[in-house]
Amino acid sequence: MPGTVDNSAARLTATATVSDAKSRAGLVYAISAYTMWGIFPIYFHFLSHVSSLVVVCHRIFWSSIFLAAVISIRTEWSAIRPVLRSRRNMLLLSGGAVLLGLNWLIFVYSIATHQVLQASLGYFINPLLSIALGMFFLHERLRGWQWLAVFFAVLAVVNLQLHGSGFPWLAVSLAVTFGFYGLVRKKVDINSLHGLLVESWILLPLALIVILTSRPQEISAGTYGILSMSGFITAVPLLCFGAALRRLPLSMMGFLQYIGPTLQFLVAVVLFHEALDRAKLASFGLCWVGIGVYVLDSVLARSPQPVADEPE
């Protein structure tokens, strides 16, 4: 009996050690992914002199190549083939591809036009919009505190309309396109990496047409070098995100997802010196209060927050 007890204790200790190591690794992966997404504006800032549409089309092209290479190395093509055979899945992924392409285009345009603060606000609003979309399209029931959180997000937008420089179209467009993108992706049983590859392939023909007709001779070799990195910077955070999802509970991922828009906010104010007037600050404040209410409700109700498949 003593030997049995000792063996059981040893097994429990070993299991706890493995679990702790897994959680630590997951935390590193999650922070890495959200940090990379948060500083994306710095990368795209170096491409501000190139048309936003051309930048996005290069991102689609290079992502298609890089993601295909990653999946080949990981020998995961067999997991994608069943999805490609389903007409329903391909229609949903086609819709997701259009939404993602629009989201990328709006995001790059916001950086090129020095409106990163709006992009940050859009991604702060997104989790609150997602719960509203879940109510309308997935028939999910919102609790009282969740209604209050959504109300604060609406107030943030209305405040900018009344006291700012007009309706925050970029922020709302980013939140809406990414919110609906997440809604569509919930309908398809495919992971983020594989789904993004299929969506990139769907958009690839149009992207190639734009690239080939966009006067490529006017783009310098250095700029081409920066553009070619877009596949790498798209795939690497996504790989970290997937690794984190396998190691961390969704509740923790829900908290960590705010690292991205927070860093975008800091990049806009500290590095790009975008003006943060009272109206913008008040709207961010309202949004942050809404997020605080939502997070507190999630903790008290012990229900995980939704986590975006692929931010920005």
Side-chain angles (χ1 to χ4, degrees), residues 158-170:
V158 171
N159 176 69
L160 278 180
Q161 168 69 35
L162 297 178
H163 304 292
S165 54
F167 189 79
W169 289 106
L170 290 176

Side-chain angles (χ1 to χ4, degrees), residues 55-223:
V55 172
V56 170
C57 288
H58 271 277
R59 186 179 184 184
I60 293 166
F61 172 70
W62 292 108
S63 293
S64 299
I65 295 174
F66 194 84
L67 290 167
V70 170
I71 290 171
S72 295
I73 293 170
R74 294 168 57 157
T75 62
E76 294 177 348
W77 289 106
S78 59
I80 299 177
R81 292 191 189 100
V83 177
L84 299 178
R85 297 192 196 105
S86 169
R87 182 182 178 186
R88 174 183 176 275
N89 287 340
M90 289 306 296
L91 286 173
L92 286 169
L93 286 170
S94 296
V98 172
L99 289 166
L100 185 62
L102 287 172
N103 183 268
W104 281 1
L105 181 60
I106 296 165
F107 181 69
V108 173
Y109 175 79
S110 70
I111 296 165
T113 56
H114 311 291
Q115 300 182 78
V116 180
L117 277 175
Q118 275 217 48
S120 171
L121 181 63
Y123 287 115
F124 273 123
I125 292 173
N126 176 252
L128 304 179
L129 175 67
S130 293
I131 62 174
L133 291 176
M135 179 190 69
F136 285 111
F137 294 99
L138 302 179
H139 309 293
E140 296 175 353
R141 305 184 78 176
L142 299 191
R143 296 183 293 273
W145 289 108
Q146 290 178 322
W147 278 109
L148 182 61
V150 173
F151 176 69
F152 276 115
V154 173
L155 276 183
V157 173
V158 171
N159 176 69
L160 278 180
Q161 168 69 35
L162 297 178
H163 304 292
S165 54
F167 189 79
W169 289 106
L170 290 176
V172 173
S173 298
L174 283 169
V176 168
T177 52
F178 198 60
F180 276 99
Y181 172 72
L183 195 65
V184 169
R185 286 294 295 272
K186 286 181 184 293
K187 301 288 186 178
V188 186
D189 185 17
I190 187 171
N191 72 26
S192 300
L193 188 73
H194 299 167
L196 184 58
L197 174 64
V198 176
E199 289 159 349
S200 298
W201 278 353
I202 291 169
L203 296 173
L204 186 58
L206 179 60
L208 287 174
I209 292 172
V210 172
I211 291 171
L212 293 174
T213 59
S214 62
R215 298 181 180 180
Q217 68 277 8
E218 296 182 2
I219 300 177
S220 68
T223 299

Side-chain angles (χ1 to χ4, degrees), residues 23-52:
S23 296
R24 284 195 296 271
L27 189 61
V28 170
Y29 282 126
I31 292 174
S32 299
Y34 286 120
T35 298
M36 284 185 273
W37 278 319
I39 61 175
F40 260 16
I42 298 174
Y43 167 79
F44 288 110
H45 177 72
F46 288 107
L47 296 168
S48 296
H49 60 288
V50 182
S51 163
S52 298

